[in-house]
Amino acid sequence: RRGVNAEAVVHQSRGAFAEAEALLAEAYVTTDDRRLLGAVLANLGSIAAQRGDLEAARTHLLGSAKEFRACGYFLGEASVLNNLGRLGLDQGNVRIALPLLEDALGAARRAGDAELVAIVQRNLAEAMGLAGNPNDAEALAVTALETFTAEGNEARRAECLRILGELDEARGNHARAVERWRAALAIADAPPLERERIEARLKSSGKR
């Protein structure tokens, strides 16, 4: 059945969603391997999200996290919950994103994956900042920044600096916010979307 799941992923990567879903449905009903069930549901959730059916995506992904948790595959659980939380964050739904990201952080720590822990911390920091909890948000963002700096992950460093700048701005420390955003923009490896966000912050501050 793992081969069927892998074949489905190939179809999914080509945009052949109907073929992928047929194979995933076959894998789902013919296995009792909970880790495989989690992978199947994660792929179904990804397809639903690509089709714009966010409710179905959420249902599949929550089911995936449940299966991964049941078999002790905490890395998979953390990844799925983080992606769900990020989706909620991108949609502006902080109320949904926060508990998902908090659970994702716990799973990532149980998995012992330092990079994934930092990625979740970065997302949770952004969610907490939007929820009006800047102190806890800053602690998470600083910790994530330290991890990404040690790993030499410049793209993630830029994200953390942008979030820290937003937290400074929310607390009225405009000069410090601009300093953070300029430092983030100076990172050559900053992703294009992140650069757009940082430039927008600087433009709105009048310091571009």
Side-chain angles (χ1 to χ4, degrees), residues 156-185:
R156 294 291 186 185
R157 281 190 66 238
E159 293 173 350
C160 290
L161 286 169
R162 189 258 303 166
I163 292 167
L164 286 166
E166 291 170 351
L167 295 172
D168 288 327
E169 182 78 354
R171 287 182 296 210
N173 194 339
H174 181 69
R176 180 60 170 160
V178 169
E179 182 182 337
R180 302 261 205 196
W181 292 331
R182 283 177 171 166
L185 199 59

Side-chain angles (χ1 to χ4, degrees), residues 42 64-65 68-69 73-83 107 111 116:
S64 173
F68 286 145
R69 185 183 310 118
Y73 183 42
F74 301 121
L75 184 63
E77 179 192 0
S79 296
V80 169
L81 291 174
N82 178 65
N83 290 340
L116 184 54

Side-chain angles (χ1 to χ4, degrees), residues 42-94:
N43 289 330
L44 285 170
S46 176
I47 291 172
Q50 287 176 273
R51 282 182 160 166
D53 189 347
L54 300 183
E55 187 57 38
R58 176 178 168 80
T59 298
H60 287 314
L61 291 172
L62 285 173
S64 173
K66 181 179 178 180
E67 295 296 338
F68 286 145
R69 185 183 310 118
C71 68
Y73 183 42
F74 301 121
L75 184 63
E77 179 192 0
S79 296
V80 169
L81 291 174
N82 178 65
N83 290 340
L84 262 175
R86 185 69 242 180
L87 180 62
L89 201 53
D90 289 341
Q91 293 176 315
N93 198 328
V94 178

Side-chain angles (χ1 to χ4, degrees), residues 8-186:
V9 171
V10 172
H11 284 298
Q12 181 183 346
S13 68
R14 295 172 177 167
F17 296 147
E19 291 87 342
E21 286 174 320
L23 287 168
L24 291 168
E26 178 187 347
Y28 186 79
V29 299
T30 56
T31 185
D32 57 2
D33 182 332
R34 303 203 78 162
R35 181 161 170 171
L36 178 56
L37 286 171
V40 167
L41 287 167
N43 289 330
L44 285 170
S46 176
I47 291 172
Q50 287 176 273
R51 282 182 160 166
D53 189 347
L54 300 183
E55 187 57 38
R58 176 178 168 80
T59 298
H60 287 314
L61 291 172
L62 285 173
S64 173
K66 181 179 178 180
E67 295 296 338
F68 286 145
R69 185 183 310 118
C71 68
Y73 183 42
F74 301 121
L75 184 63
E77 179 192 0
S79 296
V80 169
L81 291 174
N82 178 65
N83 290 340
L84 262 175
R86 185 69 242 180
L87 180 62
L89 201 53
D90 289 341
Q91 293 176 315
N93 198 328
V94 178
R95 181 181 61 82
I96 285 178
L98 267 173
L100 289 167
L101 291 169
E102 288 170 345
D103 288 346
L105 184 56
R109 284 172 170 160
R110 287 192 293 275
D113 189 305
E115 182 176 13
L116 184 54
V117 166
I119 290 170
V120 179
Q121 287 173 327
R122 168 246 181 269
N123 287 331
L124 186 53
E126 187 167 1
M128 284 185 168
L130 292 171
N133 188 354
N135 292 333
D136 287 343
E138 182 175 35
L140 286 166
V142 167
T143 301
L145 178 60
E146 289 171 350
T147 299
F148 294 135
T149 300
E151 292 178 347
N153 191 331
E154 293 295 279
R156 294 291 186 185
R157 281 190 66 238
E159 293 173 350
C160 290
L161 286 169
R162 189 258 303 166
I163 292 167
L164 286 166
E166 291 170 351
L167 295 172
D168 288 327
E169 182 78 354
R171 287 182 296 210
N173 194 339
H174 181 69
R176 180 60 170 160
V178 169
E179 182 182 337
R180 302 261 205 196
W181 292 331
R182 283 177 171 166
L185 199 59

